[in-house]
Amino acid sequence: MNRIDAAAHTRGESRFVDDMPLPSGMLYASVFSSPVMHGNIRNLHVQEARLAKGVVAVLTWENIPGENQIGSIIQDEELLAKGTVHYIGQPIAVVVAESQEIAKKAAKKISIEIEELPAVTDPKEAFEKGYIIGAPRTFALGNVDSMWQKCDLVVEGSCDIGGQEHVYLETQRSRAVPLEGENIRIYSATQSPSAVQHHVAKILGLASHSVEVEVKRLGGGFGGKEDQATPWACMAALAAWATQRPVELVLSRADDIKMTGKRHPYKSDFKIGATKEGIVLAYEVKHYQNSGATADLSTAVLERTMFHSTNCYYIPHVRIFGACCRTNLPSNTAFRGFGAPQGMFAIESAITKLAEKLTMPREEIQAKNLLAEGREFPYGQTAAHCSIRSVWEMAETKYYLQRIQKQAHQFNQSHFETKKGVAVMPVCFGISFTTTYLNQASALVHIFTDGSVSVSTGGVEMGQGLTTNITAIAAKAFGINPGRIKVECTNTTRIANMSPSAASATTVLNGNALILAINQILDRLKTFLVQELSVSGKEEFSIIDEKVVYDGNDTGWTWDQLIHGAYLKRIDLSAHGFFATPKICFATTKEKGHPFAYHVYGAAIIEITLDCLRGSYDIDSVKIVHDLGRPLDDIVDRAQIEGGLAQGLGWMALEDLRFNDKGQLLSRDLATYKVPDAHFMPDDIEVEFLKNEKGSIGPYGSKAVGEPPFMYGIGVFFATRNAMRAFRPDIDFNFASPLTPERVLLQLHPE
Ligand code: MTE
Ligand code: HPA
Ligand code: MOS
């Protein structure tokens, strides 16, 4: 099967929010936002903007008919600032005009008087001042405090982990269309149509059934549209409601980078203790998450950081502390990996420092401490169907790890200003939303009398290949040609109470719901066949390649005949399916439970070559073994692995968010904020699937794949560090990311 949308994407025919035909009377919105990090609004002057030619309305919090609140987990976020602003780019007013240009120009005519207040941008400083969101949390296993004395070596250190801008190709956007009566329809580029529905209803003071949200596809989300597509949809809705005309709000790239949240930067302090043989006995880590100005999804992100703080290692004595620290930056949010990358970077840093002090290869300590079947994670779940050791061994043998290391060593002996570095990055990632109740999904299936099939689910296509996966599942479950299946756009009127498309679980959850819906229809069709063919064994029927088969024999009935016949006998050809992941739970009172349906494992070997005089480096190769289950579509999954890797490499090596002391983002466009390109990517990427269905909860033995490969990218940091150590073994390099060429250079030549 080809990727469903590949041809239309390539031809530029695929429609995104602002490619839809213009409705008559459409207006355009532009947002006026806070110029300072923190302050009390004394006066807002909108009159000049309001009177500008072509401006239809200028809206502030006073024009909100419902509640001025869009906080998802904690109610701490105003749609439009009322009294106090907390970050640069915080929306204050919405200008609505006849064209986008007029709206933008008019927004510049708004002026504001603000009494500035002190601002905080550092998470540890915020923590010390008591600016925290939710309660700090601690996960514990064994007894760390009693162990330090029993270790042959204890090392401590700290990480300064950078954030990351999503750079989805399609910036945030939404179109709102008022309908007859008290109703409104929103076209939004959101990963969470139901969240948009809920918050638009709240802002406008409507019932949820009055708000219809439709999503065709996103030009990338990567977590940046899980929670943060909501405000722009709400502003478009507010403007449409006030003017009773369709309104579109599209953020420019510059505004998007300035106003929206990013991956959370962290400061993390670690302490790790081991025997002289390199067996890790104890690990303690304290994570200070830079949450930004509001809660958004920060508490859930922190929780996943804590779940993944020991990555794929078994450590018998662990204490993990985490706090969400409120700062005066745009609220940081979900981003591929959802906190796990930061937790994994910290443990990998700790292991690295330990290895350096023990003068033992990093890989030796990693391999000695890998999880084994039945071992307990610090959050209470035990490792089941744990493949990390076989993944590691496969990577080691298939890619000749020792040979790569030996060759790098030899290269380094014979080269002075160029050094090679190698690192292995193993990954263990839990599959399920960490918020247990979100692990539910539903699907709606119709078969039309011509045998064509319409499928709706709560999943959003964001480039990850969901439509292809859903089509493959429906075709397989019915036993018909994929060409019969149409996957509908995602719409809140067809599917209610959707969880966001996130946590890598969209195919797992929605695909299972789809199969449950299809099975209901198949059951009815088989009952019909039993009567028509006067046989007894309903279960003996199956549909293979559009042919009805009974006990292995072709009955002569085709799919077309079956559907037409069933329709004439008044059989219901529609069904709704609902899936909830079984057996998952988590008790925050004890910080123990079984939060994940299963874990995905994998390992990558990364090799780089460093120019020690310039600090620049090339990634020579990334070689991956990934435990995938049985892919629904090899190409879709391979694309997710390569794309995730690219994003992870960029996070660790290139993408540098720099602010000045006024809190203004300096790297606010793609000239100063570097993202991976073809030239940056490794010359050689190899991916080996370990097709292992064990532990999968379906559909058809597939496993979630969207986020785990991101974390292979972390290896580039440690490979580069190894090359740096080959040049300057005397320096104790830091654990600050991204490890840009500039940072490499300054550390190699500190004098
Ligand atoms: N791949 C593409 N092309 N575009 C995206 O926006 N989002 C990532 C990942 N892969 C994303 C992507 C993130 S953050 C998640 S959680 C998953 O896809 C979501 O989709 P899934 O649940 O279907 O894996
Ligand atoms: N991933 C994405 N979104 C979420 C999660 C998660 O694990 N938990 C709650 N929201
Ligand atoms: Mo992905 S960060 O769960 O949208």
Side-chain angles (χ1 to χ4, degrees):
M1 207 171 106
N2 284 331
R3 216 186 135 119
I4 294 285
D5 40 20
H9 279 6
T10 312
R11 292 194 207 106
E13 290 167 2
S14 302
R15 282 186 184 177
F16 296 81
V17 170
D18 64 347
D19 294 322
M20 291 185 303
L22 287 190
S24 68
M26 180 127 101
L27 298 173
Y28 299 84
S30 184
V31 181
F32 172 79
S33 68
S34 172
V36 300
M37 280 201 276
H38 195 195
N40 290 322
I41 301 175
R42 286 282 166 257
N43 267 306
L44 181 67
H45 306 282
V46 299
Q47 205 52 19
E48 201 186 332
R50 222 166 239 161
L51 295 174
K53 189 164 174 286
V55 170
V56 178
V58 178
L59 307 165
T60 67
W61 65 273
E62 289 174 284
N63 304 96
I64 294 176
E67 209 182 318
N68 183 18
Q69 183 51 244
I70 55 165
S72 53
I73 300 176
I74 296 171
Q75 308 287 290
D76 68 345
E77 187 172 352
E78 292 168 341
L79 178 67
L80 297 173
K82 184 178 169 189
T84 311
V85 284
H86 301 276
Y87 64 95
I88 293 177
Q90 182 177 349
I92 296 172
V94 183
V95 179
V96 196
E98 299 290 347
S99 80
Q100 198 158 49
E101 219 189 340
I102 296 173
K104 267 193 185 149
K105 276 194 184 147
K108 294 211 173 85
K109 295 196 164 117
I110 296 179
S111 66
I112 192 163
E113 292 162 38
I114 295 182
E115 171 206 354
E116 273 199 65
L117 298 169
V120 178
T121 55
D122 180 82
K124 278 191 176 169
E125 186 189 337
F127 183 79
E128 273 149 28
K129 292 191 161 134
Y131 304 157
I132 50 175
I133 298 170
R137 294 174 68 175
T138 303
F139 289 6
L141 179 67
N143 183 344
V144 209
D145 296 322
S146 70
M147 287 311 290
W148 303 120
Q149 280 160 339
K150 298 189 182 130
C151 298
D152 295 323
L153 180 69
V154 176
V155 299
E156 294 183 56
S158 51
C159 304
D160 188 349
I161 310 172
Q164 186 175 25
E165 159 61 32
H166 298 84
V167 203
Y168 22 62
L169 286 180
E170 178 198 33
T171 54
Q172 302 277 0
R173 60 197 56 199
S174 218
R175 187 186 285 181
V177 182
L179 304 175
E180 181 189 295
E182 298 267 284
N183 298 296
I184 188 164
R185 181 183 297 139
I186 317 285
Y187 302 94
S188 166
T190 177
Q191 289 173 242
S192 191
S194 287
V196 167
Q197 179 191 32
H198 173 81
H199 285 105
V200 166
K202 198 163 166 179
I203 291 292
L204 299 184
L206 299 174
S208 286
H209 67 206
S210 300
V211 182
E212 177 185 345
V213 179
E214 181 159 301
V215 182
K216 176 66 186 162
R217 61 167 66 81
L218 316 185
F222 306 111
K225 296 169 183 170
E226 182 174 342
D227 218 39
Q228 298 205 357
T230 298
W232 320 108
C234 287
M235 285 177 226
L238 177 67
W241 206 245
T243 59
Q244 282 300 304
R245 286 167 67 176
V247 176
E248 188 165 279
L249 195 166
V250 174
L251 290 190
S252 65
R253 179 66 62 187
D255 276 351
D256 192 302
I257 295 185
K258 179 172 105 178
M259 295 168 135
T260 66
K262 323 216 172 295
R263 181 184 299 285
H264 296 78
Y266 276 57
K267 286 202 170 162
S268 303
D269 298 332
F270 62 79
K271 183 172 175 184
I272 190 165
T275 66
K276 56 183 184 307
E277 293 80 25
I279 303 297
V280 180
L281 298 178
Y283 177 59
E284 179 169 22
V285 63
K286 292 179 182 152
H287 295 295
Y288 300 91
Q289 179 198 64
N290 191 335
S291 311
T294 67
D296 186 274
L297 296 166
S298 293
T299 50
V301 171
L302 179 75
E303 191 174 45
R304 197 178 265 281
T305 300
M306 297 175 73
F307 284 131
H308 293 86
S309 282
T310 53
N311 190 11
C312 56
Y313 306 107
Y314 172 67
I315 306 176
H317 302 273
V318 179
R319 184 162 54 223
I320 303 156
F321 168 87
C324 296
C325 310
R326 200 188 286 278
T327 61
N328 296 103
L329 294 174
S331 189
N332 290 313
T333 193
F335 195 147
R336 207 169 195 166
F338 205 77
Q342 294 94 325
M344 291 188 197
F345 181 79
I347 180 72
E348 292 299 328
S349 298
I351 285 177
T352 302
K353 194 150 184 188
L354 188 66
E356 290 167 5
K357 292 279 183 265
L358 282 172
T359 57
M360 201 180 260
R362 207 175 90 91
E363 293 70 36
E364 196 176 324
I365 300 189
Q366 289 177 305
K368 278 182 178 161
N369 292 283
L370 289 174
L371 268 169
E373 190 71 12
R375 286 300 196 183
E376 190 179 342
F377 289 98
Y379 47 91
Q381 187 161 344
T382 52
H385 310 290
C386 174
S387 61
I388 190 62
R389 287 170 180 233
S390 38
V391 161
W392 182 282
E393 275 159 29
M394 193 163 159
E396 212 171 15
T397 50
K398 189 188 151 43
Y399 299 127
Y400 305 103
L401 175 62
Q402 278 167 5
R403 193 164 82 196
I404 297 175
Q405 284 167 321
K406 207 169 134 205
Q407 282 169 354
H409 183 72
Q410 281 166 354
F411 179 95
N412 291 346
Q413 298 287 304
S414 57
H415 292 74
F416 170 68
E417 82 287 355
T418 316
K419 299 289 182 193
K420 283 196 183 283
V422 180
V424 183
M425 182 63 207
V427 170
C428 162
F429 191 83
I431 302 304
S432 288
F433 281 95
T434 53
T435 306
T436 302
Y437 73 81
L438 292 175
N439 294 286
Q440 53 175 308
S442 49
L444 181 65
V445 178
H446 302 307
I447 309 176
F448 298 99
T449 52
D450 65 353
S452 66
V453 175
S454 154
V455 169
S456 301
T457 74
V460 170
E461 172 64 60
M462 61 187 105
Q464 86 278 47
L466 178 75
T467 317
T468 305
N469 283 345
I470 292 292
T471 306
I473 291 168
K476 197 168 172 133
F478 273 128
I480 59 174
N481 187 329
R484 296 262 192 193
I485 317 283
K486 179 181 172 211
V487 178
E488 305 289 349
C489 59
T490 318
N491 186 297
T492 52
T493 304
R494 262 177 276 117
I495 303 290
N497 313 321
M498 301 171 210
S499 293
S501 284
S504 305
T506 316
T507 293
V508 180
L509 297 172
N510 292 278
N512 277 326
L514 173 60
I515 291 172
L516 291 169
I518 289 175
N519 285 345
Q520 292 171 46
I521 303 181
L522 283 175
D523 189 65
R524 291 178 217 140
L525 291 173
K526 287 176 190 176
T527 305
F528 161 74
L529 282 166
V530 162
Q531 284 162 5
E532 289 296 305
L533 297 173
S534 310
V535 290
S536 56
K538 185 163 125 182
E539 296 315 316
E540 305 302 322
F541 280 109
S542 55
I543 300 165
I544 300 171
D545 291 337
E546 312 218 332
K547 294 191 182 75
V548 177
V549 173
Y550 182 78
D551 198 14
N553 302 311
D554 191 347
T555 59
W557 281 60
T558 62
W559 172 258
D560 286 322
Q561 266 175 298
L562 171 64
I563 297 307
H564 194 67
Y567 168 72
L568 294 178
K569 284 282 155 67
R570 298 187 289 174
I571 308 282
D572 180 3
L573 295 174
S574 298
H576 168 260
F578 177 81
F579 178 77
T581 309
K583 289 189 225 144
I584 47 172
C585 61
F586 194 72
T588 48
T589 45
K590 298 197 193 97
E591 302 289 26
K592 296 281 178 197
H594 189 104
F596 299 119
Y598 59 93
H599 292 85
V600 166
Y601 297 95
I605 301 173
I606 294 169
E607 189 178 11
I608 69 107
T609 305
L610 172 65
D611 177 337
C612 302
L613 301 184
R614 293 178 181 80
S616 55
Y617 56 89
D618 270 328
I619 307 170
D620 304 319
S621 66
V622 177
K623 297 176 168 145
I624 295 170
V625 174
H626 190 81
D627 177 358
L628 201 64
R630 182 147 43 104
L632 289 160
D633 186 304
D634 278 33
I635 299 288
V636 167
D637 283 7
R638 190 172 291 270
Q640 284 297 291
I641 293 172
E642 292 186 5
L645 170 71
Q647 238 168 0
L649 292 171
W651 177 52
M652 276 285 110
L654 288 181
E655 300 184 37
D656 200 1
L657 290 162
R658 295 279 184 94
F659 296 88
N660 66 14
D661 56 6
K662 290 200 177 79
Q664 287 160 330
L665 185 59
L666 298 173
S667 46
R668 59 174 177 243
D669 55 41
L670 299 180
T672 46
Y673 186 78
K674 296 288 184 192
V675 291
D677 58 11
H679 180 69
F680 165 80
M681 286 301 282
D683 302 330
D684 179 21
I685 301 178
E686 288 179 51
V687 182
E688 180 74 20
F689 294 164
L690 191 80
K691 292 189 179 174
N692 166 27
E693 285 173 46
K694 282 190 205 132
S696 157
I697 54 164
Y700 302 114
S702 62
K703 283 186 183 171
V705 67
E707 293 167 284
F710 178 92
M711 283 147 288
Y712 295 139
I714 296 173
V716 73
F717 184 98
F718 299 98
T720 307
R721 184 180 170 96
N722 276 342
M724 290 162 72
R725 282 173 57 82
F727 185 72
R728 290 295 300 262
D730 55 313
I731 299 182
D732 202 6
F733 300 112
N734 65 30
F735 293 100
S737 79
L739 192 47
T740 54
E742 183 183 2
R743 280 221 172 102
V744 172
L745 191 70
L746 291 172
Q747 287 196 80
L748 285 178
H749 308 285
E751 302 79 25

